Amino acid sequence: MSPTEKQKEKPEAFRAPKGMRDIVPIDEPYWEKMEGVTKSTARSYGFSRLEPPILEAAALYNKTSGEESELVLKEMYTLRTKGGDLLALRPEYAPGICRAYLEHSLGRVSQPQKLFYIGPVFRNDRVQLGHYRQFVQIGFEILGGQNDPIYDAEVITMARNILSELKIKNPILKINSIGCRVCRPNYKRQLQGYYKNHEKELCEDCTRRFATSPMKLLDCKQAQCQPFKEKAPNLLDKLCFACKAHFRAILEYLEEVGASYEIDSHLVRGLDYYNRTVFEFFADGKEAEIGALGGGGRYDYLMEMIGGHALPALGFALGAERLIDVMKAKEIAVPPKPQKRVFLAHAGTLAKKNAFVLREKLLASGIGVAEALSRESLGAQFKVAEKEGLSLALILGQKEVYEKSVIVRDLAAGTQESVLIEKVVDDLKRRLKA
Ligand code: AMP
């Protein structure tokens, strides 16, 4: 067979689907840090973990996000099961969290329920900087209890604290209120009245959204639509008394804890179910280009949309990959992977078996072990120890097996001594402590 024929036979290498990435070992410290910060924040604010399945009925999202929403129309991955059910890979968490709240009667236990999650989300987004098709969201939701603005301030403060723990300094908080069922319909009509005069000059998306979701026109990024956005009526001027008071209270709480914010009257967020508070966080400096690091808001009507009662609800989600992108771009250091503590080397077949048993004993005692048990020469094994930067080694040879002992070698100092196997755990613990 000629080399070209051979090449032809070689199957094409598989690659991860477009917009979907592997979490690779080199990034493990970032993920560890993020999960650690999430869990400790959750614990201190009294949040418990709720993880809905990745697949849910597609209708759950059609009902909550709105059939006309970008998320449902363009971005949701759906599949038909062999049994005929139409399921969706979750494009966001809140509807699944609310479904689970109802399914498990979480309304019967203490209210509000404070819930958090860390898991993958799927959106058939246009792949570009900060936009992936599978990404991890870290989120916190507060369901039930009172519709108290202190909770809006609480989730915003939590998001801010997480960013601060990750050493992402001076994040920019943009916040807005998009009103409620009382004040919003009136505003929408005014907005439609205003945009009607410019209908022909709008971009394709805005022309489509004009009739059903006029508020999304405020969020349009197309250059041709910017001049109209600037002059559009401002919802903040049209809020009802209750929404105004709610929004003012949140801002006051934020001021009390020294959280700076920018009121952005064009911030509406993409989904139909939000009411009153909406907010987003961005990195400062050029990393703002990566996009919002997280966002959230209040969604008091969502539970009704899926068969429950109206229920105060709010939350936020941070995008893990974007956080990591920002941490890398800003050269924020994360603690390295904890070092395996002791290197275990062997010489000879019998010693290899004994080393295998000794490793189990050490691990059971909580001592981390690095090894190169599949390599036979001591020289090759020590090369691995050197690569891993270890300074303490155990060596088992034929003689040690018969004497039921092991050599403990300080690789840095070049000194060594023989220790009985039954005493080695205590000996190592003492040395590692020192
Ligand atoms: P959203 O609910 O759409 O605002 O999403 C919450 C957070 O998830 C955003 O602020 C981003 O940090 C992150 N996110 C949203 N879409 C993507 C995406 N396509 N790729 C990566 N991260 C995303």
Side-chain angles (χ1 to χ4, degrees), residues 57-67 69 72 76 92 95 272-273 301-302 304-307:
L60 178 69
Y61 303 108
N62 294 343
K63 277 205 165 152
T64 53
S65 305
E67 307 239 12
S69 72
V72 167
M76 199 158 78
E92 50 154 345
D272 280 359
Y273 57 65
Y301 309 136
L302 196 154
E304 277 175 70
M305 295 173 170
I306 59 168

Side-chain angles (χ1 to χ4, degrees), residues 76-268:
M76 199 158 78
Y77 288 95
T78 53
L79 62 96
R80 182 76 65 185
T81 65
K82 288 198 174 121
D85 297 330
L86 185 63
L87 303 182
L89 284 172
R90 92 177 139 231
E92 50 154 345
Y93 260 96
I97 296 278
C98 289
R99 194 255 325 126
Y101 176 94
L102 292 176
E103 193 168 328
H104 301 286
S105 306
L106 296 182
R108 296 220 190 109
V109 285
S110 69
Q111 299 297 296
Q113 279 284 295
K114 296 184 166 186
L115 306 164
F116 81 103
Y117 51 82
I118 315 173
V121 168
F122 302 82
R123 292 184 192 169
N124 193 17
D125 202 349
R126 199 161 68 84
V127 179
Q128 53 183 316
L129 178 71
H131 288 255
Y132 307 111
R133 289 184 174 168
Q134 177 180 335
F135 55 96
V136 169
Q137 281 194 341
I138 297 169
F140 293 79
E141 314 289 335
I142 302 183
L143 305 179
Q146 306 301 315
N147 184 338
D148 190 322
I150 201 158
Y151 289 129
D152 304 58
E154 177 175 305
V155 293
I156 293 170
T157 309
M158 282 178 80
R160 206 168 152 263
N161 288 346
I162 291 177
L163 295 175
S164 149
E165 290 272 329
L166 295 176
K167 307 276 182 286
I168 299 178
K169 294 198 183 119
N170 310 318
I172 293 153
L173 164 63
K174 296 191 175 179
I175 186 167
N176 192 20
S177 173
I178 54 169
C180 67
R181 281 176 178 160
V182 176
C183 47
R184 199 158 42 184
N186 232 341
Y187 174 70
K188 275 189 180 176
R189 275 193 296 275
Q190 282 189 20
L191 203 58
Q192 278 165 329
Y194 163 79
Y195 270 112
K196 184 119 197 82
N197 303 326
H198 307 290
E199 219 180 334
K200 295 211 168 63
E201 296 147 276
L202 298 174
C203 73
E204 203 181 305
D205 274 345
C206 284
T207 313
R208 183 169 47 79
R209 291 173 184 152
F210 166 75
T212 48
S213 315
M215 284 175 62
K216 290 196 188 125
L217 274 62
L218 296 174
D219 194 29
C220 180
K221 306 283 182 288
Q222 297 292 329
Q224 72 197 84
C225 300
Q226 300 311 303
F228 310 117
K229 265 172 63 171
E230 298 310 321
K231 294 194 184 121
N234 187 341
L235 174 56
L236 287 175
D237 300 332
K238 318 280 173 194
L239 291 180
C240 62
F241 180 76
C243 284
K244 255 188 197 151
H246 193 272
F247 191 47
R248 199 176 314 117
I250 298 166
L251 301 182
E252 281 169 12
Y253 284 123
L254 292 177
E255 284 159 23
E256 288 294 326
V257 292
S260 55
Y261 57 82
E262 286 175 18
I263 295 175
D264 179 350
S265 61
H266 292 150
L267 181 67
V268 292

